[in-house]
Each structure stands twice: as structure tokens, then as C-alpha cells.
Amino acid sequence: MGNSNAKSKENVQNNSQNTKTSDLPVALLSNQDDTKPNVLNCKSNDLKSEADNDDNVIDSSNVLNDLVHNIFLYANKYGYFSINSPAHQNVQCDACYKTNFVVDRYKCLVCKNYDLCGVCFESRKITLPHVKGHPMVRYSGPKEVFGDEIELENVTLGSFKNKFNGVEHEATCDGCKTHPIFGLRFKCDECNDFDLCYKCFEKKKDIGNHKVEHSLLLSYSIRNVNPSDIELLECLGSGAFGTAHKAKLISKNKIVVCKILEWNPFHEMFGLNVNSLYQSFIREVQAYNEINSNFVIKAYGSCVVNNQSLKKFYLLTEYMEKGSLTKLLKNEPDLSYRCRVSIAYNIASGMKRIHDKHYIHRDIRPDNIFITNNYVAKIGDMGISKLQDKFQNHSVLGPRAYMPKEFHTGNYNEKVDVYAFGLTIYHLITGQMHNFENNTVVLNEKPIIFDKLINKCIETLPSNRPTASMIESNLEKHYEVLSEVVSKCTGYFLLPKTNRTEICIKTCNLVSDLLYN
């Protein structure tokens, strides 16, 4: 963790072209209806004591309000309560200066005590003296690196060089073309499927489209797991070709989801041979291995079991306590709009990451969005994801009810995901799925927020739909302004839920008006 006193926010380098949000709260103030209480002034008469004439009572009431508000604000600082999640304790992001964040942590292996939260790493925000060409390592848990708990003093380039000495990676070095890579493996986070061995990394040279200043990660492929190390628990769901179980990775004492694809000769009747199922399994493993995002499900391991007439393919991914978005909305129909905004923002960030890695998900829908105990949303099920084809020639494989018309021609690009995202957010805000009749999408209810964004996403012409990057930027502004409104609204958490809901809805609609007008 860096020394925050020595940091200057003027050093922040943001490579993305995001509109500043500092003017938005001011605009919110100027847009208020003069006949109604200011949206930022939440000290309503309902919260005042009957003894308001007594200065001592007023002071003690205000102190209590401030104390409760600040405690709740800290626990709820990301738009959802983070007190149950294993945060990176006493770690500060050296770009945004947030501490104890719940997203992934990235540590520089060159700079001393330099860390980035996953959001800043993926958006390429850094501060000096760190530069993007420095290799970094990703923590997926408080002390977890590459699936193992490693003490901070051992998180160094030298220590990892010893740890990976002689280790074989199923990857080709894009510098010297050596296959496989032995020892340290460096993956470019900005190029698609670009790896370097240690010798080529040390040369510090541009190679094709890869530049020396690109962000690099010390990488390790999804590990092979022994089936005997997997203890299957309850069944979470099943389909035509497999099941998903809550499971325990015994050696790590870790709860995971175990997805099992099974093939037997009976499947030949459906035109599915074992090689097709295997290729689908490999594509999903490769997609998880390549994408590595805060808002895409993490994969922990895989294995293949061969019997005479039965083949099984196991994929272990992280366990999301609240299940799918569909399940969440069913179990918690009164989910706060502030939380819904945060979930929408998470999904957009995950989709942007998928597209940045040149993948099309092709199956974004509420059933494939998964939620943690703290309401962090992540995109899962990369089983039918596909690398983008420059000629846009793709197979027609995806959920028809969430696909636009160009999808059925086989000539489409990543904008099919944007269309599906729009329908997913419609479900998130309204609590109900859209109607799908005669291959036509019908929205029966006007969403109370994000109406303009949703309609933009489901435009008939792909070129009229926003990119994932534009959507993420849009939702980031909603999220940041709403967070600032809540932080300035002393007494917000003491207000009745209807009042909090009104503040969230009004704030989001004002932000939308500013962004679209």
C-alpha cells in the first residue's frame, strides 16, 4: 500500500475518454423543483425531534444522524453492503485512493508497494512512478494469488521465478515462438491471446500490435484438478448435456460451482458428437482464462474424465451466494434502486471487458448474471462465447428471445450482446421479462429509470446501439452521482424506503436527462 500523503491526484493518468462527473451534482441542484425539498437536503421535518427548540437536543440529534449516516455510508460505499465480503484489508488503490475494496487487487512487481483496484486496472488508470509496462500480479482474494495463499513478502518477481521454475504453460511465446512456455509467463492485458516468455519480456520490445507500454500480467493457466479433489454437494441446475453443482475443492477448502458436461452415445441422436462437446468445453475454459475480470465469473480449475462409453468435462468456477439475477429478483422483489444501478454498472463493466478481449458472449440474460452476498453482479456461462470474426460470420447459437434480428442471419458483431444487455436491464428495473412473440420483442412496461438507455440498446440497426464502453461510461456517471447524492444527504439511511427510492429515481432520471439532452 502506498503512502497516500505522498500522492498527488494530478498524476492520475486516465486513458479512457470519460466525461467529468463533477458538474453533475451541481446540475442536479439547479434542476430541482423549487416547490419540493432539495434532493440533497434530507433533514426532513419527519426526522426532527419535537424538542427542536432545545439547542442541546438538536445538537445531539444531528450528531446521532451524522454518526449513523457515516457508519452506513462506509459499509454501503460501493452501492451495496461490503461488510460480508473478504475485502483487501488495509490496501489502498494508488489510482482512486479507495481502501478495503472488494474487487480484485493488482500488485506491481516492479514498483515498491504499488497497488491498483480491479476497476482502475481495467480502465487503465495509474499514477506515477508506475507505468503500464510494469508486470502486475492479480489477487483474487485477500492473500490469494494463482489459487494459493501467498504472504506479501513473497509476492515478488524473484519469488515467482523460483515458484514457476520448470513449470510448463500450454501457450506459445509470441516473441520467440517457443512452445510451450516454461517458467514465467506474461500475458498482455490489452492484446488478445498474446503471451511472452521471460526472455522476451526482458527484451522490452514492440512485437506486432503489442507495445512495450501495454499492461502486462504474470499469468498462469486454469489448473488441472484431480476429480477426487472435488466433493459434489447440492445440485444447482441441469440441462440436456450436463449439471451444475455446489461443490467443495477439498485441497483448498473452497466452495465452488462445478459444471459437469457429460457425453454418451445417446447424444449422437441429437447430432452432438463427443468432439463438439469437448471443443465447447475448451472454448469456455479459454474464454475464462483470457478475460479475467472483476465482473466476469472466475474459473478455478478443470479436468476431463474418460470412461469407455462416458466422457465428463468438469469446470470449477466461483460460487455466487445469491444465485442468478432471475433468482434474486424473484426472492427480493423490493431490491433498492440504488442496488439495481450498481448491478447494471457491474454487468456493463463485465460486457465491456468481454468485448475488449474480442469476444462475443452471445448469452447475456438474467439467468447468466450471478450475484454475490454483497450484490456484486458478474457475467457467467461463457459456454457459447466466441471470438469476433472480422467478417462477422458467426453461427446462429444463442437465446432467441434475447437476440436481435441480424443474429438470425449469422452476420453480426458484438452489438448482439448490447441488445441482450438492454433486455436484461429492462428485467432488472421492471422485475419482469419482456414479451417475445413471433420473433418480436415487446416491452409492456416503461422502466422507471434507464428508459432511454434501454431503448438505445435495443435499436433495430446495430450501428445505432451504443458500445459497451459507452454504456459503462453512462452507468458510471449514474452510479457516481447517486453515490455523491447519498453521501451528502445526511439522514438518508434513516429515511423511509419510499423516500430513499424517490431520491434514487429522481437522481437517475436527472442524470439521464443531462446525458441525453
Side-chain angles (χ1 to χ4, degrees), residues 450-470:
F450 298 154
D451 180 46
K452 293 177 181 177
L453 175 62
I454 290 169
N455 283 313
K456 284 284 186 182
C457 289
I458 61 172
E459 285 272 9
T460 301
L461 288 176
S463 58
N464 289 342
R465 297 173 206 148
T467 64
S469 180
M470 293 166 65

